[in-house]
Amino acid sequence: MNRGQQNCFRYKHFIMALIEHLSKPNWKTFLGDTFNYVLEVLQEEPRRSVGSSADDLRSWLSVGGVPNVYRRLSDQMRRSRFDAEHIAEVFNFLEELIENNQTQLKELIAKERIANYPLKIPKVLDFNRLDIVDLIYRIQAGERPFEDWMYENGYTRKDIQEVYQVIDQWLIAHGLLAPPWTKDRLN
């Protein structure tokens, strides 16, 4: 893409926020072009003035890396009421873009232009990224999917409490949860 095409692309197509473009029929082309453009901008001139869509993506990558892009897009697609199938398509395409640009992403991490993150996110217990996002939404809605699963698989309330106790101890040990207050802590 030459400089003239970049300027046209930047001003004609980047006026709207990224999420607005993802609901249009040509969203894949737009997301792919925007992703590649943002990587180029971050490589060559990170503070270059860009339009709204590119700025969204650039700031998300800079602040939290690829996981932040997923988090932000997930939140915005949920708020915009995208259906689950479209969300899956967007995430699958984004995964392709990330896979195809591993070298450039590693270079940008090395230059500290985007936040460091694990480039390969392992599957855990056959959960993919969409399963995890779904679980987070269910937990935020007050559901208890892990407890439900444990009950369905024969675990008792005591077993569940022991699991929570181990998790709490780990969180406390790593400074992610304040220890419970006791009388002897006050003395």
Side-chain angles (χ1 to χ4, degrees):
M1 192 181 293
N2 68 37
R3 184 63 95 188
Q5 290 171 319
Q6 288 174 348
N7 288 336
C8 176
F9 187 69
R10 181 184 324 147
Y11 294 113
K12 183 177 178 187
H13 298 288
F14 287 161
I15 295 169
M16 296 189 297
L18 183 59
I19 193 68
E20 294 173 284
H21 287 283
L22 296 181
S23 63
K24 295 184 178 211
N26 66 339
W27 68 267
K28 272 188 179 181
T29 302
F30 184 82
L31 181 57
D33 289 347
T34 303
F35 189 84
N36 291 323
Y37 177 68
V38 166
L39 293 182
E40 180 185 314
V41 167
L42 286 168
Q43 190 77 19
E44 296 173 6
E45 198 178 339
R47 290 182 175 78
R48 180 190 309 167
S49 177
V50 295
S52 179
S53 295
D55 191 49
D56 287 345
L57 195 52
R58 176 177 59 184
S59 66
W60 297 342
L61 282 168
S62 299
V63 172
V66 169
N68 192 37
V69 173
Y70 279 101
R71 186 172 34 257
R72 298 296 186 127
L73 281 177
S74 176
D75 185 47
Q76 289 188 8
M77 287 190 289
R78 184 175 51 89
R79 286 184 191 168
S80 298
R81 298 180 186 202
F82 282 31
D83 61 50
E85 187 177 306
H86 189 61
I87 291 172
E89 284 182 60
V90 170
F91 283 156
N92 288 335
F93 184 66
L94 186 59
E95 196 74 39
E96 258 181 63
L97 291 171
I98 292 162
E99 188 65 36
N100 294 337
N101 289 285
Q102 289 290 309
T103 303
Q104 197 169 4
L105 289 166
K106 288 177 186 176
E107 289 172 11
L108 291 169
I109 289 169
K111 291 181 177 182
E112 297 182 348
R113 302 236 171 115
I114 65 173
N116 195 358
Y117 67 95
L119 290 170
K120 293 281 186 184
I121 298 175
K123 277 190 163 185
V124 178
L125 301 174
D126 284 334
F127 283 105
N128 65 30
R129 192 180 309 273
L130 290 176
D131 294 331
I132 293 169
V133 168
D134 180 58
L135 284 172
I136 290 169
Y137 288 144
R138 290 176 58 197
I139 291 167
Q140 288 174 337
E143 294 181 36
R144 297 177 180 261
F146 297 112
E147 285 183 29
D148 294 344
W149 179 87
M150 290 180 78
Y151 283 129
E152 289 169 8
N153 287 283
Y155 291 91
T156 65
R157 181 73 194 146
K158 183 180 178 194
D159 296 330
I160 294 170
Q161 287 174 336
E162 288 174 4
V163 169
Y164 279 134
Q165 186 175 10
V166 169
I167 292 169
D168 287 347
Q169 288 170 352
W170 186 90
L171 291 171
I172 290 168
H174 289 85
L176 300 171
L177 183 68
W181 286 98
T182 61
K183 287 183 183 178
D184 51 320
R185 279 190 63 199
L186 295 174
N187 297 330

